[in-house]
Amino acid sequence: MVVVDSDTTTILRVKGPLELKCQLDTTDAQLMRKVISRTFEDLRSQVKSESCVLAVCDSPVFIWPNKGVYATPEEISPTTPCEDIHQWIQTDEQESAGKRSAKKKSKKCLSASVINLRLMMEVTQPGPLSAPILSKTVQKSHFLTATLPMDCAVCTSCSDTIKDACERLLEALTHQLCEMEKVTLQHMRDTTVLVPEALHFLLPEPKGLVTVVYPAGASDSQLETQRKELHQQFELPDDRPYFRRANAYHFPNEPYKDGYLRNPHVVLTHPTLDNGKVYLVQGIYSYHHYMQDRMDDNGWGCAYRSLQTICSWFQQQGYVERPVPTHKEIQQALVDVGDKQTSFVGSRQWIGSIEVQAVLNQLLGITSKIMFVSQGSELASKGRELANHFLTEGTPIMIGGGVLAHTILGVTWSETTGQIRYLILDPHYTGAEDLQLITDKGWCGWKGPDFWDQTAYYNLCLPQRPKVI
Amino acid sequence: MGRGYIVEDAVEKYLSKLCEQLAGPVTGLLIGQSSAQRDFVVMAIRTPQREESTAAAGNSVDKELVTEHARQVSRMLPGGLSVLGVFIITDTDAKDTLTTLRQLVFAVENLISSEHLWNPADDDVTDCVTLHVNPKTRKTVCRTFDVKDPKSTAKPADWRYQSGVCSSWATVSCCLNVNLSVPLPDNKTSTESMDECLKEGLTVWAHQIESGVCLIDGKKLPEDSELTAGQRRNVRQTYTAQLLITPDGQRLTDVVQQCGGSVSVRGAIHSRAFLHSNKPKAKLAEKLLKRDVVSTVATRVHMLLEELLTSGEQDQGSSRDKQKTEQLCLPRRIFCPVKVTGPVCVSDYQFSDEGLPEVIDRLKEMLDIDAAEEDLDTRQEVAAEVIESNVTAEPTVETVKAPEAKKNNYIGVAMAAAAALLATAASMLYLNDI
């Protein structure tokens, strides 16, 4: 596997549906499997044939990988470096289908850049050829029609040419078809066939980007055996999930449909302290704050929003499937555990860390530890505990005290000097999902120990990560 | 501001000749291409006679005949050519004639568009032309109707003759592989249900073609770029197209369904479209070529099934154990130039047991074209041949022969077929007549 190194790597991702169609005599299971295998073999031939075309999305570039890597426009040849393709891709700013001027290079992203390709088939070829034949087969049987959602990704370095990339993409496509065949045959029962789908997972270095084929519609709980095998295969710890559906790698240029910002903290420059180390939340969370979801909770909802951010972390890491709860659902959960009266639901009453702990337990089945400091100045001495939390649990922390609630996403702490900085995500922000503004104005930013009210007492809710895969 | 029709000189000569006939009113079709700015008429074709036509019938306009003729002609026009309207040569009162012409033009347009498997585009021209020629005075009255608007009224239009209207039209063509297969419902494997299933399958395939990527001479051109930009004017251009498709991403139907069998269409077709020479855009070339691809396949499938239905070929019923496979050859496409010079052609379909004389007869009867065998271009497609060894399992393979060639009245046969099928029958249209 190639390491996903953001400075030099381009990910080439090819997607495209392939039709799986065949007539099946369901009275003979052996024959059925043979027919399905043969149909997959036909698809593999298609992908290796001269009719296979890789179209670079949003560009006039088309590549025939099996025809000597012939490409149009004619400026592109098999020895052209992959990186050059970027110049041909239209962004929203331009209309022309030509090359972008050298000045307008794309913004440097912090994560690897992605080139999207579409798998297509050319149906034309030089003639003359034989006119069509209509073939009618009469036989009581079954007909299988499925669409295989091919999705392969390969990482290339700056020295790779288009020819290299095509070779790897074709290999990936063929391999994926084999995996899909295996999964289809494995999960076939009588007349039910589960269509396979491909998901990509970003594993810790040096393993990098890995693609796994799962049967569509099978839930995470049904796939536990597969995940166990994968953890063994890739030598991954068996106490945290890497292969749940929610863990699927989110490609940098794919927008999130729900509109929330993800991990705004990654664009920040972390503070440098003498002998200081940075300890951060692990994984992906969404930024929840005042006024979102058309809910006007300005002035009272900060703890609710912090709780939502925490819930989003558990959902996106694959520990729970439940979507982020609304204010009402949070309030109802507290009524359900007997912590509040029924009149609480629909009110604008504040909640604190204890309530956050209760709701995480009630709705998500998550346990949390509570840390108490009798005055804000004491927080400066909690460096070791906070660092350890981010190391072992890696979950966002909700902190409530005085009249405010915040989320702590990390600390920079020096063991020798004791200096500490806190990475704070502020739920009191009322504006739009503008990453620039949010980071410039410090709504997500590093704060010093003077950020806390030095005399107020604080409670921290530290959610514990379940040790499962 | 009315439309302007630029008409080939040959059409004027043709209409003049028809004026010299003494028997009753003469109707016919006007063939060409419409564009936003201008319309071009390339051919005029008189309505053929039915075999049993009597002197009495010759005095009134046979609306069913005109519309059925239009349907048949439309199937013989490659991309870029279409039935633009109807003409009538009669000394009857202008107002009555206009009413008749209006009825005809709506009926013709409705019938032809009912066979289309593509969606109308926003930039399609929906005006049709009617031409009334008085045989004694030779006066012509040209009006257009918007066939998208059932209440539309006649608008005046310009009718101007010119020589060499299509002599520098561009040609875009390709040879395309078709590979479709659809299941047949359980216990319903008759030709009628095969027709229905194929129509569904063809619609899905047509959508794939419509959304496919079109490369012209190996390049993806921006939609609004001029096709002939940078080329010398008045020099005939030919372009080769390539089509790239992907299957639909979403699948809404069941993955495995019960069936009584399946039917497939596999092979290659040659597709061609003609573009007017007034700065045609790449978008137009793509649209016209794709429509021709879809209609040439759909037409041939219809023709084959129509033959099966009218010749009473019935399926022997499905059986649980035996697998029966029939293979039928779709006819191959043959092109014939409209004029001795000029790129524009019409096409016909030749079944495997027909010879070129039958094709020539049909070209004469349907399109009133006098062609000789050496004028025909038979090199674009190879006639399909059924290969016995292709068949699986049971040796009970029956190759149903294409129906026998008919030397006589093709339009009569077509009328009978239309009546037998009760398919969007001309009579149905008159029930909706305005």
Side-chain angles (χ1 to χ4, degrees), chain B residues 164-431:
Chain B
V165 169
C166 56
S167 54
S168 43
W169 278 21
T171 309
V172 185
S173 62
C174 69
C175 178
L176 187 142
N177 276 311
V178 181
N179 184 356
L180 6 119
S181 64
V182 286
L184 289 172
D186 206 359
N187 289 329
K188 284 202 317 177
T189 54
S190 64
T191 310
E192 279 95 355
S193 52
M194 187 163 68
D195 184 23
E196 238 178 81
C197 296
L198 274 173
K199 181 146 188 269
E200 250 181 69
L202 282 169
T203 310
V204 169
W205 171 78
H207 179 73
Q208 285 176 11
I209 297 285
E210 228 183 330
S211 20
V213 169
C214 179
L215 303 176
I216 296 182
D217 278 354
K219 289 203 202 18
K220 174 90 184 88
L221 299 172
E223 283 193 341
D224 289 318
S225 66
E226 275 175 34
L227 198 65
T228 48
Q231 314 281 9
R232 286 170 48 211
R233 288 203 69 204
N234 294 328
V235 172
R236 198 176 309 164
Q237 307 295 342
T238 52
Y239 301 89
T240 305
Q242 287 166 281
L243 281 179
L244 315 175
I245 63 173
T246 52
D248 287 325
Q250 304 283 71
R251 187 150 288 285
L252 305 163
T253 53
D254 283 324
V255 176
V256 177
Q257 44 180 205
Q258 277 194 312
C259 70
S262 67
V263 63
S264 72
V265 176
R266 294 200 180 103
I269 54 105
H270 178 92
S271 172
R272 199 176 284 190
F274 301 105
L275 302 165
H276 63 78
S277 42
N278 185 29
K279 302 201 187 150
K281 300 223 166 107
K283 193 162 76 162
L284 180 68
E286 184 176 334
K287 177 172 85 168
L288 296 177
L289 185 72
K290 283 177 174 177
R291 286 182 176 179
D292 184 73
V293 165
V294 171
S295 77
T296 184
V297 174
T299 297
R300 294 183 225 202
V301 170
H302 281 154
M303 285 172 73
L304 185 61
L305 296 179
E306 276 170 5
E307 291 286 1
L308 285 178
L309 281 172
T310 53
S311 60
E313 293 288 339
Q314 274 307 327
D315 159 67
Q316 274 83 345
S318 65
S319 68
R320 188 170 286 279
D321 306 322
K322 280 206 304 213
Q323 180 198 60
K324 223 157 60 92
T325 302
E326 291 172 66
Q327 295 203 306
L328 304 163
C329 298
L330 263 57
R332 73 160 172 167
R333 196 177 199 182
I334 293 183
F335 291 89
C336 175
V338 169
K339 290 198 311 184
V340 175
T341 56
V344 175
C345 293
V346 290
S347 67
D348 190 24
Y349 297 102
Q350 179 196 28
F351 276 97
S352 43
D353 62 350
E354 289 183 322
L356 294 181
E358 282 92 337
V359 174
I360 290 176
D361 281 347
R362 267 199 299 272
L363 288 170
K364 178 65 189 168
E365 185 184 332
M366 292 296 182
L367 304 178
D368 209 4
I369 288 181
D370 295 297
E373 272 188 37
E374 53 268 22
D375 300 327
L376 301 179
D377 180 3
T378 58
R379 292 165 306 133
Q380 303 303 334
E381 287 183 11
V382 173
E385 270 171 30
V386 170
I387 306 163
E388 303 271 332
S389 57
N390 263 357
V391 176
T392 54
E394 301 295 312
T396 53
V397 174
E398 295 167 26
T399 43
V400 177
K401 276 196 159 183
E404 283 178 10
K406 298 170 187 53
K407 275 211 182 295
N408 43 18
N409 202 238
Y410 290 106
I411 192 66
V413 170
M415 298 292 297
L421 291 171
L422 297 172
T424 54
S427 52
M428 282 289 289
L429 294 167
Y430 291 101
L431 292 174

Side-chain angles (χ1 to χ4, degrees), chain A residues 17 19 21 23 72 119 121-125 129-141 143 145 147, chain B residues 175 177 181 186 189 218 242-243 245-247 251 255 257 259-262 264 266 268 324 326-328 330 382:
Chain A
E19 243 182 358
K21 249 187 188 177
Q23 202 174 337
T72 181
L119 177 65
M121 289 295 155
E122 181 179 349
V123 284
T124 46
Q125 64 180 107
L129 291 169
S130 164
I133 290 180
L134 186 148
S135 215
K136 174 180 163 183
T137 303
V138 171
Q139 183 189 27
K140 228 169 151 53
S141 54
F143 201 83
T145 322
T147 307
Chain B
C175 178
N177 276 311
S181 64
D186 206 359
T189 54
Q242 287 166 281
L243 281 179
I245 63 173
T246 52
R251 187 150 288 285
V255 176
Q257 44 180 205
C259 70
S262 67
S264 72
R266 294 200 180 103
K324 223 157 60 92
E326 291 172 66
Q327 295 203 306
L328 304 163
L330 263 57
V382 173

Side-chain angles (χ1 to χ4, degrees), chain A residues 20-24 32 35-36 39 142-146, chain B residues 181:
Chain A
L20 187 71
K21 249 187 188 177
C22 54
Q23 202 174 337
L24 295 173
M32 255 175 81
V35 170
I36 290 181
T39 314
H142 286 78
F143 201 83
L144 164 61
T145 322
Chain B
S181 64

Side-chain angles (χ1 to χ4, degrees), chain B residues 58-74:
Chain B
N59 275 331
S60 63
V61 169
D62 187 342
K63 292 173 193 160
E64 277 184 23
L65 188 58
V66 172
T67 46
E68 186 54 38
H69 178 229
R71 192 220 312 250
Q72 296 298 324
V73 165
S74 178

Side-chain angles (χ1 to χ4, degrees), chain A residues 1-2 4 11 13 151-153 155 176 197-214 220 223 226-227 230-231 234 236 241-251 316-318 469:
Chain A
M1 294 297 158
V2 183
V4 180
I11 299 180
R13 184 182 187 194
D151 187 347
C152 295
C155 300
Q176 191 161 100
E197 64 177 349
L199 291 167
H200 304 287
F201 299 97
L202 188 60
L203 300 181
E205 330 232 306
K207 300 184 191 77
L209 202 59
V210 152
T211 310
V212 176
V213 172
Y214 281 143
D220 279 332
L223 294 169
Q226 270 88 336
R227 288 203 301 280
L230 286 163
H231 275 247
F234 289 100
L236 293 166
Y242 287 96
F243 292 106
R244 294 199 182 200
R245 287 177 189 284
N247 298 125
Y249 178 59
H250 179 88
F251 286 84
Q316 288 177 92
Q317 262 51 250
I469 61 161

